[in-house]
Amino acid sequence: MAAFACAALARDQVKVAGSSTVLPYANIVAEQFGKTFGNLKTPIIESGGSGAGIKQFCAGVGEDKIDVANSSRKIKDTEIADCAKNGVTDIVEVKFGYDGIVFAVDAGAGEWKLEPKDIYLALAAEVPKDGALVANAAKTWKDVNPSLPEWPIVAFIPGEKHGTREVFEEKIMHAGCKATGGDKLQLAKAEGKDEADKKKNADKACNKVRKDGAAVDIDGDYTETLARIESNKQGVGVFGLSFYENNKDKLKVATISGVEPSLETVASGKYPVSRPLFFYVKKAHLGVIPGLKEYVDFFTSDKVLSADGPLVEYGLVPLPDAERQEVQELVKAGKTLATAAK
């Protein structure tokens, strides 16, 4: 660590990477941090997706490694194990707010009312038919639900390195699979060394999307998804709520299970497709990389995270007061994932 402390003097700027959903929030914090702390450099914030950011984060400790990973989903046990293999053993988890995942179409379209089963029946590789699983042959949205328009099924969904994809799979694809009985059919044909393994493989099969052009993976950020919809007015895109809130002139949002996504419906839990947002801090870099401790303290301050802060103005669903105070105490105490669990 002493060698790292000396080497770290070569870098005097905080480095952050990860979630494209968290990116705009981190950019706002970094910009305000730069204005507030004139003696410290503005942190460098990069995107690339939650999985990619955590992979970078877990690559090791040192001035050539990033300090913070932004993530729109919780870090996995397998990723914590990878971190540990590379000497990243003390990780501070910071939950800073909530976001909703929305399904949106071009602003000029009519009303869209979706259920998870509609999206599953439109995008899944295999769907139930007459008590069996068959390759998905649906051509239009009307094919899966007569109340939907006769548009060709083309959905722009987050690529697999994005945290948004995992929430999409869990809360939409898997929910739709269950609602149609597809989960039981997948389990009946699943292979595995035991029942738990079979269940895991069946869940994966439920989440598998078709590869015939109906489901299009977007590896970039939401601006790429928006560009696809602007060039295909009958496309459906998956976005974070905050991105939609800031592009209402270009997009029209669908209701899910009769609930319109909003700050209120996500905060209350009524909207079914919501998730917490996180960033992860390398404790070994605190007090070594100039500005890192100040950045974390600033990000979790009332000034930034309260209901009248700049992130809520952009579209973040804020933590309840008690939860925000709990996060602040965790950060102040420097609790890591291991110690926080005790």
Side-chain angles (χ1 to χ4, degrees), residues 31-326:
E31 185 182 339
Q32 295 207 1
F33 176 88
K35 291 175 182 175
T36 305
F37 297 87
N39 60 323
L40 294 169
K41 288 190 175 180
T42 301
I44 298 168
I45 315 290
E46 294 179 345
S47 186
S50 300
I54 290 172
K55 187 175 181 180
Q56 264 188 274
F57 180 84
C58 289
V61 172
E63 63 98 16
D64 60 332
K65 305 294 190 296
I66 67 168
D67 311 302
V68 177
N70 292 330
S71 184
S72 60
R73 49 115 173 131
K74 198 171 179 68
I75 192 170
K76 300 174 185 174
D77 289 344
T78 53
E79 291 167 330
I80 293 172
D82 286 340
C83 267
K85 285 177 192 171
N86 294 319
V88 183
T89 52
D90 292 318
I91 302 167
V92 180
E93 178 182 80
V94 181
K95 178 164 70 173
F96 68 91
Y98 295 90
D99 186 35
I101 294 175
V102 308
F103 294 79
V105 292
D106 182 75
E111 297 300 316
W112 274 70
K113 297 179 180 180
L114 294 170
E115 298 285 341
K117 70 176 182 180
D118 298 331
I119 301 162
Y120 166 76
L121 290 172
L123 303 182
E126 293 182 318
V127 293
K129 185 178 181 182
D130 301 327
L133 289 164
V134 299
N136 196 339
K139 299 295 182 189
T140 72
W141 287 97
K142 199 175 187 71
D143 290 341
V144 302
N145 184 334
S147 70
L148 294 173
E150 201 167 356
W151 286 10
I153 296 170
V154 180
F156 303 107
I157 63 176
E160 293 181 355
K161 67 181 180 179
H162 291 283
T164 307
R165 174 62 168 263
E166 296 186 25
V167 181
F168 164 77
E169 288 178 347
E170 177 193 340
K171 301 207 171 184
I172 292 293
M173 293 298 286
H174 194 262
C177 190
K178 195 172 179 180
T180 59
D183 59 333
K184 292 187 177 74
L185 295 173
Q186 290 289 4
L187 186 59
K189 74 167 194 170
E191 297 179 353
K193 61 179 183 284
D194 53 32
E195 286 307 309
D197 198 36
K198 284 182 183 178
K199 174 76 166 58
K200 182 180 175 184
N201 290 332
D203 288 346
K204 278 186 182 176
C206 272
N207 297 338
K208 197 174 177 184
V209 298
R210 52 201 292 190
K211 300 294 184 185
D212 57 359
V216 181
D217 279 15
I218 301 295
D219 287 326
D221 58 21
Y222 295 131
T223 56
E224 184 182 341
T225 308
L226 178 60
R228 296 293 191 101
I229 288 177
E230 287 177 333
S231 63
N232 179 352
K233 299 294 186 183
Q234 294 186 334
V236 178
V238 177
F239 299 92
L241 173 65
S242 60
F243 186 88
Y244 159 70
E245 291 276 357
N246 286 280
N247 289 277
K248 282 186 175 179
D249 57 326
K250 303 180 184 76
L251 296 167
K252 177 172 285 184
V253 75
T255 61
I256 301 290
S257 301
V259 182
E260 184 172 340
S262 68
L263 295 181
E264 293 73 29
T265 59
V266 169
S268 68
K270 286 181 182 176
Y271 184 67
V273 200
S274 57
R275 38 77 185 281
L277 301 177
F278 303 90
F279 64 88
Y280 292 91
V281 185
K282 210 169 283 181
K283 190 171 182 180
H285 285 200
L286 288 168
V288 180
I289 298 296
L292 179 58
K293 184 181 184 304
E294 291 84 350
Y295 173 76
V296 175
D297 289 345
F298 184 69
F299 202 135
T300 55
S301 67
D302 287 346
K303 179 181 178 180
V304 171
L305 289 190
S306 65
D308 55 358
L311 303 191
V312 173
E313 190 178 322
Y314 184 85
L316 182 74
V317 178
L319 297 170
D321 290 347
E323 202 171 346
R324 185 178 75 252
Q325 288 161 13
E326 192 178 314

